[in-house]
mmCIF file of all heavy atoms in Angstrom:
data_model
loop_
_atom_site.group_PDB
_atom_site.id
_atom_site.type_symbol
_atom_site.label_atom_id
_atom_site.label_comp_id
_atom_site.label_asym_id
_atom_site.label_seq_id
_atom_site.Cartn_x
_atom_site.Cartn_y
_atom_site.Cartn_z
ATOM 1 N N VAL A 279 64.019 195.068 196.617
ATOM 2 C CA VAL A 279 64.331 193.633 196.872
ATOM 3 C C VAL A 279 65.707 193.257 196.341
ATOM 4 O O VAL A 279 66.537 192.668 197.093
ATOM 5 C CB VAL A 279 63.270 192.703 196.294
ATOM 6 C CG1 VAL A 279 63.653 191.244 196.301
ATOM 7 C CG2 VAL A 279 61.896 192.913 197.011
ATOM 8 N N LEU A 280 66.047 193.666 195.150
ATOM 9 C CA LEU A 280 67.352 193.269 194.584
ATOM 10 C C LEU A 280 68.462 193.989 195.307
ATOM 11 O O LEU A 280 69.542 193.420 195.580
ATOM 12 C CB LEU A 280 67.340 193.574 193.122
ATOM 13 C CG LEU A 280 66.460 192.702 192.192
ATOM 14 C CD1 LEU A 280 66.548 193.136 190.821
ATOM 15 C CD2 LEU A 280 66.859 191.266 192.357
ATOM 16 N N GLU A 281 68.322 195.235 195.626
ATOM 17 C CA GLU A 281 69.268 195.965 196.393
ATOM 18 C C GLU A 281 69.422 195.405 197.801
ATOM 19 O O GLU A 281 70.542 195.507 198.338
ATOM 20 C CB GLU A 281 69.026 197.478 196.420
ATOM 21 C CG GLU A 281 69.190 198.090 195.014
ATOM 22 C CD GLU A 281 69.427 199.609 195.095
ATOM 23 O OE1 GLU A 281 69.775 200.149 196.149
ATOM 24 O OE2 GLU A 281 69.177 200.262 194.023
ATOM 25 N N GLY A 282 68.396 194.847 198.313
ATOM 26 C CA GLY A 282 68.556 194.202 199.586
ATOM 27 C C GLY A 282 69.544 193.134 199.570
ATOM 28 O O GLY A 282 70.294 192.817 200.517
ATOM 29 N N VAL A 283 69.521 192.223 198.470
ATOM 30 C CA VAL A 283 70.430 191.138 198.284
ATOM 31 C C VAL A 283 71.827 191.746 198.126
ATOM 32 O O VAL A 283 72.831 191.308 198.670
ATOM 33 C CB VAL A 283 70.008 190.305 197.172
ATOM 34 C CG1 VAL A 283 71.100 189.150 197.014
ATOM 35 C CG2 VAL A 283 68.662 189.652 197.458
ATOM 36 N N GLY A 284 71.960 192.828 197.291
ATOM 37 C CA GLY A 284 73.268 193.428 196.982
ATOM 38 C C GLY A 284 73.871 193.955 198.209
ATOM 39 O O GLY A 284 75.101 193.988 198.359
ATOM 40 N N GLN A 285 73.081 194.509 199.118
ATOM 41 C CA GLN A 285 73.635 195.147 200.393
ATOM 42 C C GLN A 285 74.325 194.146 201.291
ATOM 43 O O GLN A 285 74.994 194.546 202.265
ATOM 44 C CB GLN A 285 72.532 195.904 201.067
ATOM 45 C CG GLN A 285 72.155 197.206 200.456
ATOM 46 C CD GLN A 285 73.142 198.325 200.676
ATOM 47 O OE1 GLN A 285 74.187 198.159 201.226
ATOM 48 N NE2 GLN A 285 72.837 199.520 200.158
ATOM 49 N N ILE A 286 74.178 192.875 201.086
ATOM 50 C CA ILE A 286 74.943 191.874 201.856
ATOM 51 C C ILE A 286 76.351 192.206 201.747
ATOM 52 O O ILE A 286 77.147 192.035 202.747
ATOM 53 C CB ILE A 286 74.621 190.454 201.345
ATOM 54 C CG1 ILE A 286 73.188 190.150 201.708
ATOM 55 C CG2 ILE A 286 75.568 189.404 202.005
ATOM 56 C CD1 ILE A 286 72.713 188.775 201.105
ATOM 57 N N PHE A 287 76.857 192.672 200.635
ATOM 58 C CA PHE A 287 78.272 193.055 200.365
ATOM 59 C C PHE A 287 78.397 194.620 200.424
ATOM 60 O O PHE A 287 79.397 195.148 199.851
ATOM 61 C CB PHE A 287 78.756 192.561 199.127
ATOM 62 C CG PHE A 287 79.091 191.043 199.088
ATOM 63 C CD1 PHE A 287 78.173 190.144 198.702
ATOM 64 C CD2 PHE A 287 80.421 190.660 199.455
ATOM 65 C CE1 PHE A 287 78.510 188.737 198.719
ATOM 66 C CE2 PHE A 287 80.701 189.303 199.350
ATOM 67 C CZ PHE A 287 79.817 188.366 199.038
ATOM 68 N N LEU A 288 77.411 195.325 200.972
ATOM 69 C CA LEU A 288 77.411 196.718 201.032
ATOM 70 C C LEU A 288 77.378 197.414 199.664
ATOM 71 O O LEU A 288 77.820 198.492 199.482
ATOM 72 C CB LEU A 288 78.625 197.238 201.815
ATOM 73 C CG LEU A 288 78.752 196.836 203.329
ATOM 74 C CD1 LEU A 288 79.568 195.588 203.440
ATOM 75 C CD2 LEU A 288 79.253 197.996 204.169
ATOM 76 N N ILE A 289 76.667 196.798 198.693
ATOM 77 C CA ILE A 289 76.548 197.290 197.377
ATOM 78 C C ILE A 289 75.071 197.615 197.110
ATOM 79 O O ILE A 289 74.217 196.688 197.178
ATOM 80 C CB ILE A 289 77.041 196.336 196.377
ATOM 81 C CG1 ILE A 289 78.485 195.920 196.556
ATOM 82 C CG2 ILE A 289 76.901 196.970 194.901
ATOM 83 C CD1 ILE A 289 79.535 197.021 196.331
ATOM 84 N N GLY A 290 74.755 198.916 196.951
ATOM 85 C CA GLY A 290 73.337 199.295 196.628
ATOM 86 C C GLY A 290 73.178 199.448 195.175
ATOM 87 O O GLY A 290 73.032 200.507 194.651
ATOM 88 N N ASP A 291 72.997 198.285 194.510
ATOM 89 C CA ASP A 291 72.768 198.274 193.083
ATOM 90 C C ASP A 291 71.901 197.059 192.722
ATOM 91 O O ASP A 291 72.263 195.922 193.143
ATOM 92 C CB ASP A 291 74.161 198.178 192.312
ATOM 93 C CG ASP A 291 73.993 198.103 190.808
ATOM 94 O OD1 ASP A 291 73.863 199.202 190.269
ATOM 95 O OD2 ASP A 291 73.991 196.982 190.278
#
Side-chain angles (χ1 to χ4, degrees):
V279 170
L280 291 179
E281 291 201 17
V283 178
Q285 285 285 3
I286 293 172
F287 283 91
L288 296 95
I289 303 291
D291 180 82

